[in-house]
Amino acid sequence: MKRIFAIVITSLLFSSLAFCLEVDRSELQSISENTTIEFISYTGPHKKIDSAASIKGIGSSMGKVISADREKQAKTGNANKYSVIHAIDPSESGKLDADIIILGADAGVDHINNLRRIISGYLSSAYGYSEEDADTLAVFITVYNAVYRGKLSNAGKKYKKIVLDNVTEANFGLSVNYKDWPGHSEIIIPVYDAANGGLSSVDTSVISDSKVVNSMKEDDDRNVESRKNMVDIKERESDTASENAKNAQKEAVAEQKTADAEKKNAESAQKEADQAQKDADQAQQKADEAQQKADENPDDKDAQSEAEKAQAEADAAAKKADEAQAEADEAQQKADEAQERADQAKDEAQEKQALADKKQSEAQSERKEIAKDQQEIQKIEAEQADMPTDYGIVLFDEKEMLSRLVRYNSETGEVLKNSPVTSLRGRFVYKAGDNYIAIAGENSKNGAIKLVLISPETMEITSESDKTVAAESVLVEDASEYYCVIDQDGSYYIGKFGQDLSFKVMSQITVKAATPITLGSTTISVTDASGALKILDKSDLSDISSGK
């Protein structure tokens, strides 16, 4: 991805010789004005290279813990390195749950591709995503987190309280610079359906909103392949949601039939209860009349007997009415519950269909945009094929004095392609056969400094030297041989290499790490470890200084 930054223009042209002609600022003015988004990863040599499988394993091991009970809040992992907070709260509706991947202070990941591997491994393990789908989601998740880095106020409108309680304004999201990742990253994965897992576990609409997609379009290839894969995911989401909607609709129809039947039962029961109550009222009226007659004729035993009999019948009728009403109330409760289930089934069917329609609409819209971008890419590639181009190096990190290779239009200064290698040292590169040779790398937790070959086609490192090079070393070319300072356990020596990075010979004397290397016809002059001038034979780098 492209990143917002101002490039310090110090570009050096080079051909077979590394003549250091600085590119005119006006020619490359477009670079400094081109404010774009780019992930800055460490792309130099490494002390140790872990396999893709082992890197994915970091994420999958955490995902296994979460998958055991996806409906329950959980924390897992090593807080100093990599950990996950499964922020789930079923009691709050209307907002999103989230998984929060936290990069601790000792996290060693230094390339966006490896970070994506960790996220992909997690998604596959936690929710059952296929590797291909998980890889696609991981790309969008990292871009989403970079776009919304530090924008916690916006998140409050979208995420549940449990999510907001586990993030901070300073660390929310993902920095575009790998140096800021350890101890300062809270990578948010919006969760749509944690309970069921599968295709719609992650809210794909959120991680592929217009801001995210627009930033992805800024890459040279417009991230077409990743966007195509996301469209495919959404179309499958739509198909699945549509099928679920059909099944839910069938269930809703069945539930409504049950509700209608229960409603009829309730209506019938209420009619019976009403009739029973009417009979009870009539019986009580007769009892009241009989009692009145008995009261008027206290000596009439028959009147007294009729009054008692009428009241007994009235009491029986009242009891029957009460029982009938109780049955009617129970029937009505069943009818209400059945109707509630039917309404819920209808709502669920509508929700699933709405999801299907939404995903399909998004997929169709994005397919059109992708088609336009592909046409634009073809047009640009055709235009660039006829452009006069050259290569230069641009100062990328002024503090560390690191540069990167660029290919640009030699007439306008427009940068056509940036190398992903942003750790070129010494501001010198040379043509070496079909490649370019340079010193690259950093002395970091995982990084190392070595001689590298860079392909002018891909602008990526194709090979690196076995020997470690001093951070302060210069690189000097002599025909097809190259001299630099080798770092051997903190002691420094002059080393000679072939243009294929083959190591030829090393000096016996130690030198200053930043020694100049001055070429003579058969000798080179350097500064030794004590600060004295030394003359070395080119052929074997032996010390031929007078008075040695």
Side-chain angles (χ1 to χ4, degrees), residues 170-223:
N171 295 339
F172 184 79
L174 180 68
S175 169
V176 292
N177 193 327
Y178 76 96
K179 293 181 180 180
D180 298 330
W181 292 351
H184 304 288
S185 304
E186 294 164 351
I187 301 169
I188 310 300
I189 303 176
V191 175
Y192 177 78
D193 185 4
N196 293 316
L199 203 58
S200 292
S201 301
V202 175
D203 194 321
T204 54
S205 297
V206 171
I207 63 173
S208 64
D209 68 16
S210 59
K211 290 184 179 179
V212 172
V213 173
N214 286 340
S215 67
M216 295 179 77
K217 287 181 180 182
E218 293 168 358
D219 270 5
D220 293 337
D221 63 359
R222 312 288 176 92
N223 272 281

Side-chain angles (χ1 to χ4, degrees), residues 271-291:
K271 286 181 180 180
E272 291 179 2
D274 291 344
Q275 184 59 52
Q277 185 61 52
K278 184 177 180 181
D279 293 343
D281 291 343
Q282 290 176 348
Q284 186 60 54
Q285 184 177 358
K286 289 175 65 176
D288 290 343
E289 291 173 353
Q291 185 61 49

Side-chain angles (χ1 to χ4, degrees), residues 331-349:
Q332 185 60 52
Q333 183 177 353
K334 288 182 179 180
D336 291 342
E337 291 172 352
Q339 187 60 54
E340 183 177 355
R341 289 194 299 272
D343 291 341
Q344 288 175 346
K346 290 176 185 176
D347 290 343
E348 183 178 351

Side-chain angles (χ1 to χ4, degrees), residues 69-73 86-97 160 162 194-195:
D69 189 353
R70 291 190 291 259
E71 295 184 80
K72 182 179 179 182
Q73 183 188 6
H86 187 56
I88 303 293
D89 184 5
S91 67
E92 184 179 356
S93 61
K95 291 187 178 181
L96 289 171
D97 296 311
K160 295 180 181 179
I162 193 172

Side-chain angles (χ1 to χ4, degrees), residues 214-264:
N214 286 340
S215 67
M216 295 179 77
K217 287 181 180 182
E218 293 168 358
D219 270 5
D220 293 337
D221 63 359
R222 312 288 176 92
N223 272 281
V224 165
E225 289 306 312
S226 292
R227 290 162 60 199
K228 280 183 177 179
N229 292 337
M230 176 59 83
V231 167
D232 179 63
I233 290 175
K234 287 186 177 182
E235 287 178 338
R236 282 182 282 131
E237 280 189 287
S238 177
D239 291 342
T240 300
S242 183
E243 187 63 29
N244 291 339
K246 290 178 182 178
N247 294 334
Q249 184 59 40
K250 290 178 182 178
E251 184 178 345
V253 170
E255 290 288 357
Q256 189 59 57
K257 286 182 179 180
T258 300
D260 291 342
E262 292 292 350
K263 182 179 180 181
K264 287 182 179 180

Side-chain angles (χ1 to χ4, degrees), residues 58-80:
I58 296 171
S60 61
S61 63
M62 296 188 293
K64 287 178 182 177
V65 177
I66 301 304
S67 66
D69 189 353
R70 291 190 291 259
E71 295 184 80
K72 182 179 179 182
Q73 183 188 6
K75 295 182 181 181
T76 187
N78 183 336
N80 293 322

